Amino acid sequence: MFSNKDVLETIAMVEKEHLDIRTITMGISLLGCIRDSAEETAQKVYDLVCRKAENIVKTAAELSGEYGIPIVNKRVSVTPVSLITAAFPEKAPLVGKALDRAAATLGIDFLGGYSALVHKATAEYERTFIRTIPEVLATTERLCASVNVGSTKSGINMEAVKLLGEIFKEAAELTKDKDGIGAAKLVAFCNAVEDNPFMAGAFHGVGEADTVINVGVSGPGVVKHALEQIPDADLTEAAEMIKRTAFKITRAGQLVAKEAARRLHAEFGIVDLSLAPTPAMGDSVAQILEELGIECVGGHGTTAALAMLNDAVKKGGVMASSRVGGLSGAFIPVSEDIGMIHAAEQGKITLDKLEAMTCVCSVGLDMIAIPGDTPATTIAAMIADEAAIGMINNKTTAVRIIPAPGKGVGDEVSFGGLLGRAPVMPVHNCDSSKFINRGGNIPAPIHSFKN
């Protein structure tokens, strides 16, 4: 039972501290949609997605009204499209555009799963599929893409890494009239998970049920407010406060997720514990770290503070939900976090520091704008660095880099809404092309051979 105090606390979290359900994401298996032709497959995909998710927006609105908790995003993730189109990969864009039409019909904000899993090697159909990504992202509004290029068990597929460097450049260039937003809808992963509800990297894994509801809860503002109540506490007490707060946030997510699954005739999948920021003031992971005592995010101590935050969120959240999954931690996207934006504008946070922070948080180099003339091999090297962190540490890492067409350091890209804005950050001008052009695979680490 909830006490009066619990109810009042939740109301305060929603009204003053930016508590929300960041996303309800319905995962849908498309394996039953495969037909002899791309045209038939695309039509079956469109019909299935529209039928399965026809009530997701309505249900989210009803739950938001009943529980008084905003549900910001309604999304769908699907089986990696490269698997659905393996017999006709050059025509995969037909399926991608059918998915985008379905997203528009449903009124959802994003649909994820124009994806390929090439963590060990790249089959010819996957190579062809990946090369379709820039065109598809440039000609759709809501579709998102991802490619898994490595894992702890298999190592890193450097051919795929090199290819992705070129794909990011092309996706940005084809959408240069929109500051390269195509690249903002593409993620390169290591150790990608099958139940991630967050975009742009969500896809519905082949090990999942036919239809699943995964929920991502967000509460950076709630955590920051809780820490403001104990300004002189030591770090042990601060960690305990974060744990208790994460427990309450996750409880709200569990309640909504299970009820949404029941009403939408889907299985309850997971609650993702990630603290996901927005460009709104007071809804920032960076500002939590500053509340802990770092004058400006990016300063010395930032990585340690983030490690403590991430661990405490997981410890508190795991106790509050029967199923935890997805990425579960703290996101540090530059363009989507007002504290990160300000630190980047002042030159207080760099790519090197962001890379160090990814060793202890959820994802990786996320929503970072770099000069448009950055070589594709340099972007590939960034992907390789992040993949190595994920591979060695047995965690999910990702890269979502925007090489801003025609822009350089000091300029800004702006996407609006949840994607926010970001100053163009400098990259190292050292040439990594020989390393990237070697190809092959970076072998799996010795600790991967556990069985």
Side-chain angles (χ1 to χ4, degrees):
M1 292 291 291
F2 290 102
S3 68
N4 289 339
K5 181 182 177 184
D6 291 329
V7 172
L8 291 172
E9 272 189 351
T10 303
I11 291 171
M13 287 177 181
V14 171
E15 292 184 346
K16 301 175 184 177
E17 301 160 22
H18 302 281
L19 174 65
D20 58 49
I21 304 298
R22 183 53 48 83
T23 179
I24 286 181
T25 301
M26 175 179 281
I28 301 173
S29 173
L30 300 183
L31 293 174
C33 296
I34 300 172
R35 296 295 185 271
D36 291 337
S37 72
E39 291 78 8
E40 290 177 287
T41 301
Q43 187 60 51
K44 287 293 182 183
V45 163
Y46 175 85
D47 293 342
L48 180 68
V49 171
C50 287
R51 176 168 58 82
K52 290 276 189 178
E54 65 176 334
N55 291 319
I56 189 171
V57 173
K58 175 186 172 186
T59 299
E62 290 171 352
L63 290 171
S64 182
E66 290 171 25
Y67 293 125
I69 301 175
I71 299 174
V72 179
N73 297 300
K74 283 68 68 175
R75 298 166 172 171
V76 168
S77 64
V78 297
T79 308
V81 172
S82 68
L83 302 179
I84 307 304
T85 61
F88 35 79
E90 69 286 347
K91 292 188 176 181
L94 291 177
V95 175
K97 291 173 184 179
L99 287 167
D100 193 60
R101 290 198 305 275
T105 299
L106 295 168
I108 59 175
D109 62 323
F110 285 121
L111 188 151
Y114 199 80
S115 306
L117 310 178
V118 292
H119 38 279
K120 192 169 186 180
T122 313
E124 188 57 39
Y125 77 87
E126 292 166 326
R127 195 174 292 110
T128 301
F129 172 85
I130 291 170
R131 291 197 179 279
T132 70
I133 289 175
E135 176 213 335
V136 169
L137 295 183
T139 55
T140 57
E141 293 293 327
R142 296 169 172 85
L143 190 67
C144 295
S146 61
V147 180
N148 192 50
V149 299
S151 74
T152 298
K153 281 288 188 183
S154 64
I156 302 171
N157 178 356
M158 291 301 290
E159 179 203 352
V161 168
K162 178 184 178 182
L163 179 56
L164 260 289
E166 299 165 4
I167 296 299
F168 270 100
K169 286 274 289 186
E170 188 179 348
E173 188 61 33
L174 289 178
T175 52
K176 60 184 177 182
D177 58 325
K178 298 179 181 178
D179 276 349
I181 195 172
K185 297 187 291 178
L186 171 62
V187 183
F189 273 119
C190 179
N191 288 322
V193 296
E194 296 188 323
D195 54 5
N196 168 21
F198 288 103
M199 298 298 169
F203 63 86
H204 186 70
V206 295
E208 297 286 317
D210 285 340
T211 313
V212 174
I213 291 293
N214 298 319
V215 162
V217 188
S218 184
V222 179
V223 173
K224 180 177 182 292
H225 178 79
L227 291 172
E228 287 171 351
Q229 311 311 305
I230 52 168
D232 301 318
D234 66 25
L235 292 177
T236 304
E237 294 173 280
E240 286 299 311
M241 176 63 80
I242 295 168
K243 282 166 56 179
R244 290 197 297 273
T245 305
F247 181 92
K248 295 173 186 176
I249 293 169
T250 307
R251 267 301 197 209
Q254 167 99 351
L255 178 67
V256 170
K258 295 191 80 169
E259 185 59 20
R262 186 185 71 79
R263 296 187 189 188
L264 291 167
H265 309 291
E267 291 197 21
F268 163 49
I270 56 92
V271 176
D272 189 312
L273 307 180
S274 299
L275 291 180
T278 71
M281 186 63 68
D283 197 28
S284 161
V285 170
Q287 290 174 348
I288 296 174
L289 306 180
E290 291 168 356
E291 183 62 35
L292 285 168
I294 309 297
E295 182 182 8
C296 181
V297 67
H300 297 298
T302 296
T303 306
L306 181 60
M308 188 194 80
L309 171 65
N310 207 43
D311 181 64
V313 166
K314 290 182 179 181
K315 286 174 176 172
V318 163
M319 293 295 292
S321 176
S322 56
R323 291 183 186 172
V324 168
L327 299 171
S328 288
F331 287 175
I332 53 169
V334 173
S335 77
E336 298 173 10
D337 185 310
I338 191 65
M340 292 289 182
I341 293 169
H342 289 165
E345 287 173 335
Q346 298 168 38
K348 298 290 181 66
I349 195 160
T350 65
L351 276 166
D352 289 340
K353 187 60 176 178
L354 285 164
E355 183 180 303
M357 292 165 69
T358 63
C359 296
V360 299
C361 74
S362 286
V363 253
L365 298 176
D366 195 12
M367 287 303 289
I368 298 169
I370 60 174
D373 61 0
T374 303
T377 50
T378 298
I379 297 172
M382 294 177 186
I383 296 170
D385 283 342
E386 278 303 311
I389 290 171
M391 176 185 70
I392 295 296
N393 291 294
N394 197 21
K395 68 187 292 293
T396 303
T397 50
V399 171
R400 192 161 44 145
I401 289 282
I402 302 103
K407 295 191 174 183
V409 176
D411 294 327
E412 181 181 274
V413 296
S414 181
F415 305 120
L418 192 62
L419 296 179
R421 62 183 178 86
V424 177
M425 298 177 67
V427 302
H428 292 292
N429 59 10
C430 302
D431 184 9
S432 305
S433 59
K434 183 176 179 180
F435 173 68
I436 295 301
N437 288 331
R438 284 177 178 270
N441 282 53
I442 294 179
I446 188 69
H447 66 257
S448 70
F449 301 109
K450 291 186 290 186
N451 209 347

